[in-house]
């Protein structure tokens, strides 16, 4: 079975994902998407928009700023409560997340929501038995301190408390602060949703597991505004749709788990939460999305802190209400990692180990590749260019040209980036206008007329 | 003629752009894209990718992190030199950009590159004659101080010098730091380009002019790596292509100016720079893009600071070289603002002033709108839904449903968001399957068979 290391290595080798700032030794918790990763990510985003946003007349997509007025984060509760339990080894001064240490030592195994841990007084006792993973000393930890996960900066030329601002730790508040704008510009019927795809930042104490726990990440999500009375019905609707989305990403049923988050472990704003987990290599089941019933918590708090009326006036003239909110969230990088992990496959071809990405065609970054059999035969190259141009015109998505190395090498390269079909132009092509089309998954090659390729690739 | 205020007001009224964090009084220099702005921006980005990146086998698109290792910004020169000249009024303590004050008072009128001003010793003398625009006191300014424009934050749990990091003030360094990764994963031929669309941040002392001078913005750009010998030829190629791009955005020739930036005013890394300016309402000609010949400045500096070999090994076996770089840059928000400003039109229809956006169809956020004449006639609504579904299937892009208010109101709304065609289903439709199709620019209505609509709208 593939390990996370295999995935990381392929991602780098083939230009999906590189370590951020790599030439300077990196910056922990940041990653750069290479050309193929950018294409794959773009495909996931476009599919998500098609699935949940575009063409739905109850959905409004926005793109709000990463820097927001700090009052937003007071109203949302992030300034006060968005923190992780930090401890320091008194011997080597390495800093750790207490909950991660406890979990790594199998001391906390029950269904705790590690993203918003509520440290119990018992933890200090438990930590006494644990070794520092850096220096090995047992139980020598400082008192637990809550460490706020928001990145802080200063806006404007003066660096003081007044000018402090935060990089948004979630995109949701952009939807809540624009809720009134949407009402004023579009007069939507209730229920309606405000969606966004964008970056968020969390100053994780110890980023880890490749794209899984990072400091800079992307979220696809929407806030769905409803009358309170229908929350259970809509919660169920979105639960089903989220499930179908993961299926649309070709993630198998057996690798997706829905976890009902118990009350004690839910975020402070949520009355019901379901986590969607994927069975990652090495890491096991962990979160790739979540569905939360946020009630009217956010709108009410913003009404209180901003003094702006957040109620919705029903068009039938009935009494104004503050809508309740159901929030389906998808970690884009984690969805990406799940797709990549799931596609990663190994088999044996002609006695040699082969690595290939079994990506579904709608997600594959490259839809087809075109090879001239030999790059130093002008007549082959000319014919191949012709075919390349034709496919480019007819097929939506990237059609790659590849003339580097021998055909075997090119197949291996295309296999590793998940290209479903490779089209080779050889000497017979010049005679009868046929080419070989090679299937990524079966490695079978079929000879066919040029005009037949489109049908196969589509 | 339209003023910037007209544009701002329409942008808010119709859901293109809202003030960032508006319910909390905003956060200066940040803006949120509403649903129509998000669609328009997405169209511009997709067109740009089609124009410069997708399907070009010499172009590699990446998506690198906003947080980078601070050594990147030492190597690039930003830590030392990316600053603005800041002065403070000794009377009211308001802070100003010295170069902006001088320009506003018509004291600096010559072709100074205000984005990278090099304050001269004469400025102190000149400032003595100038009034503080806040309190009105003349010449009472503090000594000029260079203020670094990078937003600073701290990464990890310790807040000290070691953990300091910056929000990237430009996207270009993401391409330079990934140059070696691209070589290793893709073995490209020289010349080749690395492209990126992404956010950047600058702590502007006084943000102003709507989307023009902001603290958070988006850049579309690529670094084109070349052998030094062909820089003039490639510079000229990209100059022409940039010019064509602005034409592709439907910006008229007369509103685009190319400014050759004189040596003294060029950025420290550039051997030749051309600024592309657009004639904005209220603001006049100002920058929407730039073309710079960055030489081998960046790669050489990164080689020096990182110790990594940045040379390219030509495939013909000739001696390794450090490539030179031509950089076409496009301010996405400024391109967006130019498109919006250019489309903003007023005329008179039936004795009343009409505002409409004359957006070209490939950029219009909504391609067509479908109206049932009356919303309380189920047979009209059902027929309209049928037409709506048909158009949605056949037309790429948003097809809006609108049944709010009378037909006149709906036309005005669609005019203001730039929808090229409105399709109305009325009682005659039920009899003979014809609809009226109304043209945004001429306001003319034509009756036609339903199956003819597609041809007109496309």
């Amino acid at each position: 079975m593939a390990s996370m290391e295999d995935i990381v290595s392929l991602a780098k080798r083939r230009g999906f994902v590189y370590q951020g700032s790599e030439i300077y030794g990196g910056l922990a918790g940041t990653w750069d998407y290479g050309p193929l990763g950018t294409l794959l990510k773009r495909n996931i985003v476009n599919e998500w928009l098609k699935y949940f946003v575009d063409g739905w007349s109850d959905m409004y997509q926005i793109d709000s700023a990463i820097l927001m007025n700090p009052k937003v984060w007071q109203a949302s509760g992030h300034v006060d409560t968005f923190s992780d339990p930090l401890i320091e080894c008194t011997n080597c001064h390495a800093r750790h997340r207490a909950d991660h240490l406890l979990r790594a030592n199998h001391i906390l195994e029950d269904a705790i929501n590690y993203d918003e841990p509520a440290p119990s007084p018992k933890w200090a006792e438990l930590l006494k038995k644990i070794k520092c993973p850096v220096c090995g000393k047992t139980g020598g930890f400082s008192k637990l301190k809550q460490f706020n996960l928001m990145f802080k900066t200063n806006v404007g030329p003066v660096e003081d408390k007044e000018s402090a601002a935060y990089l948004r730790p979630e995109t949701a508040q952009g939807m809540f602060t624009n809720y009134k704008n949407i009402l004023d510009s579009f007069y939507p019927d209730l229920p309606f949703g405000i969606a966004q795809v964008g970056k968020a930042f969390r100053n994780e104490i110890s980023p880890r597991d490749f794209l899984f726990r990072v400091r800079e990440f992307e979220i696809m999500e929407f806030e769905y505004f409803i009358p309170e009375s229908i929350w259970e019905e809509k919660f169920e609707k979105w639960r089903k749709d989220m499930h179908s989305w993961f299926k649309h990403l070709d993630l198998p049923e057996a690798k997706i788990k829905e976890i009902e988050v118990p009350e004690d472990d839910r975020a402070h704003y949520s009355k019901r939460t379901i986590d969607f987990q994927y069975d990652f290599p090495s890491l096991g089941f962990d979160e790739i999305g979540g569905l939360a019933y946020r009630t009217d918590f956010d709108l009410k708090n913003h009404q209180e802190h901003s003094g702006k009326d957040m109620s919705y006036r029903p068009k039938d003239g009935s009494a104004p209400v503050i809508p309740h909110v159901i929030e389906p969230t998808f970690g884009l990088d984690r969805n990406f990692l799940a797709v990549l992990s799931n596609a990663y496959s190994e088999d044996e071809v002609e006695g040699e180990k082969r690595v290939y990405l079994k990506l579904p065609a709608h997600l594959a970054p490259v839809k087809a590749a075109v090879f001239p059999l030999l790059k130093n035969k002008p007549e082959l190259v000319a014919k191949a260019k012709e075919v390349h141009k034709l496919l480019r015109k007819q097929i939506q998505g990237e059609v790659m040209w590849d003339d580097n190395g021998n055909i075997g090498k090119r197949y291996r390269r295309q296999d590793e980036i998940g290209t479903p079909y490779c089209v080779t132009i050889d000497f017979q092509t010049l005679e009868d206008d046929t080419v070989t089309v090679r299937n990524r998954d079966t490695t079978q090659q079929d000879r066919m007329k040029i005009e037949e390729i489109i049908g196969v690739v589509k």
Side-chain angles (χ1 to χ4, degrees), chain A:
Chain A
M1 231 191 65
S3 68
M4 189 63 93
E5 243 173 90
D6 294 327
I7 314 283
V8 174
S9 154
L10 175 112
K12 176 174 165 58
R13 184 165 75 245
R14 291 305 175 197
F16 283 88
V17 182
Y18 306 115
Q19 198 188 359
S21 306
E22 188 176 342
I23 59 170
Y24 291 103
L27 179 70
T30 68
W31 296 90
D32 293 348
Y33 285 82
L36 292 164
T38 302
L39 283 172
L40 175 54
K41 192 164 75 160
R42 218 210 277 176
N43 289 346
I44 294 175
V45 171
N46 286 340
E47 289 295 322
W48 188 85
L49 288 171
K50 261 198 270 176
Y51 210 86
F52 290 109
V53 181
D54 290 345
W56 295 102
S57 46
D58 58 345
M59 280 292 179
Y60 298 86
Q61 191 193 351
I62 64 163
D63 186 4
S64 68
I66 287 169
L67 292 170
M68 299 180 85
N69 188 309
K71 287 178 192 151
V72 172
W73 308 112
Q74 275 149 21
S76 70
H78 283 81
V79 170
D80 290 335
T81 66
F82 192 63
S83 52
D84 275 342
L86 176 71
I87 49 171
E88 185 176 320
C89 172
T90 50
N91 185 42
C92 74
H93 300 289
R95 286 174 162 90
H96 309 284
R97 258 181 74 170
D99 55 329
H100 284 177
L101 269 197
L102 292 170
R103 181 158 68 160
N105 285 272
H106 306 286
I107 288 178
L108 284 179
E109 270 296 4
D110 42 339
I112 280 197
N113 180 355
Y114 288 98
D115 287 337
E116 293 213 26
S120 99
K122 268 190 287 179
W123 286 20
E125 214 44 55
L126 295 168
L127 282 163
K128 285 191 183 151
K129 296 176 207 150
I130 289 177
K131 272 186 189 162
C132 169
V134 175
C135 73
K137 199 189 160 188
T138 300
F141 295 110
S142 69
K143 230 181 117 180
L144 190 148
K145 204 180 112 183
Q146 284 297 334
F147 170 69
N148 196 295
L149 294 184
M150 288 196 290
F151 283 105
K152 213 162 94 181
T153 188
N154 293 88
V155 172
V158 192
E159 218 173 283
D160 62 12
K161 228 180 141 185
E162 310 274 281
S163 69
Y166 304 96
L167 304 196
R168 66 178 177 196
E170 59 168 41
T171 54
Q173 298 305 324
M175 281 77 118
F176 295 123
T177 53
N178 279 295
Y179 153 85
K180 259 190 76 66
N181 283 328
I182 300 294
L183 291 190
D184 292 346
S185 303
F186 298 95
Y187 324 102
D189 289 318
L190 202 64
F192 69 93
I194 309 182
Q196 177 162 214
V197 179
K199 288 222 169 172
F201 298 80
R202 294 183 184 181
N203 196 1
E204 293 285 349
I205 294 168
S206 32
R208 57 185 168 81
D209 300 319
F210 192 29
L211 297 173
F212 188 80
R213 191 167 299 280
V214 292
R215 287 176 168 149
E216 175 174 343
F217 53 100
E218 243 171 311
I219 294 174
M220 310 182 285
E221 79 178 354
F222 54 92
E223 308 302 322
Y224 200 69
F225 298 88
I226 54 166
E228 180 178 7
S229 59
I230 61 170
W231 83 263
E232 275 149 318
E233 171 204 331
K234 289 299 172 187
F235 193 92
E236 184 56 17
K237 174 201 158 41
W238 292 122
R239 189 189 64 72
K240 280 192 189 141
D241 283 7
M242 287 187 77
H243 204 94
S244 310
W245 161 254
F246 294 121
K247 214 165 165 179
H248 185 67
L249 290 184
D250 211 34
L251 305 178
E253 208 61 56
K255 287 189 172 179
I256 296 289
K257 228 162 59 178
E258 290 183 23
I259 307 284
E260 182 80 43
V261 179
E263 194 182 340
D264 285 355
D265 303 326
R266 283 197 297 261
H268 55 281
Y269 49 73
S270 178
K271 212 164 154 183
R272 186 179 175 197
T273 301
I274 285 177
D275 282 352
F276 286 81
Q277 301 193 335
Y278 175 79
D279 190 6
F280 286 103
S282 306
L283 186 57
F285 276 100
D286 219 329
E287 202 179 340
I288 56 171
L291 176 63
Y293 170 38
R294 295 181 79 128
T295 71
D296 54 0
F297 177 86
D298 301 273
L299 289 183
K300 264 202 172 146
N301 273 318
H302 284 304
Q303 173 165 299
E304 201 176 291
H305 281 77
S306 72
K308 301 280 188 291
D309 177 13
M310 291 290 168
S311 55
Y312 175 89
R313 281 161 209 283
K315 289 176 186 168
D316 63 6
S318 58
V321 287
I322 293 190
H324 280 229
V325 171
I326 310 275
E327 174 195 77
T329 305
F330 306 80
L332 173 51
D333 313 85
R334 291 181 178 188
N335 276 245
F336 176 100
L337 183 57
V339 166
L340 200 62
S341 307
N342 181 52
Y344 188 97
S345 312
E346 292 180 358
D347 62 4
E348 221 185 85
V349 170
E350 288 161 18
E352 274 186 33
K353 189 184 111 173
R354 176 178 79 123
V355 171
Y356 66 109
L357 290 185
K358 216 171 170 168
L359 287 169
H362 65 290
L363 297 180
V366 177
K367 308 303 182 194
V370 175
F371 309 158
L373 180 67
L374 300 167
K375 76 187 280 189
N376 57 359
K377 295 284 170 198
E379 63 277 28
L380 286 181
V381 172
K383 189 72 192 171
K385 290 235 151 127
E386 209 179 277
V387 173
H388 187 222
K389 204 172 157 189
L390 176 85
L391 291 187
R392 224 169 221 183
K393 233 188 187 155
Q394 306 254 353
I395 294 169
Q396 234 199 334
E398 184 74 12
V399 178
M400 197 184 257
W401 172 266
D402 195 349
D403 60 9
N404 255 321
N406 64 39
I407 292 285
K409 265 195 178 164
R410 295 185 225 166
Y411 281 152
R412 276 202 294 284
R413 187 154 53 229
Q414 296 299 332
D415 284 344
E416 289 202 353
I417 68 175
T419 309
Y421 295 99
C422 293
V423 178
T424 304
I425 283 75
D426 56 21
F427 291 104
Q428 196 178 326
T429 314
L430 303 177
E431 280 164 32
D432 63 5
D433 252 17
T434 62
V435 295
T436 64
V437 174
R438 189 255 198 184
N439 179 304
R440 173 194 68 200
D441 300 338
T442 64
T443 75
Q444 200 183 306
Q445 296 171 39
D446 291 316
R447 187 161 276 279
M448 62 183 72
K449 284 270 180 197
I450 288 171
E451 57 267 31
E452 292 173 279
I453 314 172
I454 307 289
V456 172
V457 175
K458 273 195 172 162

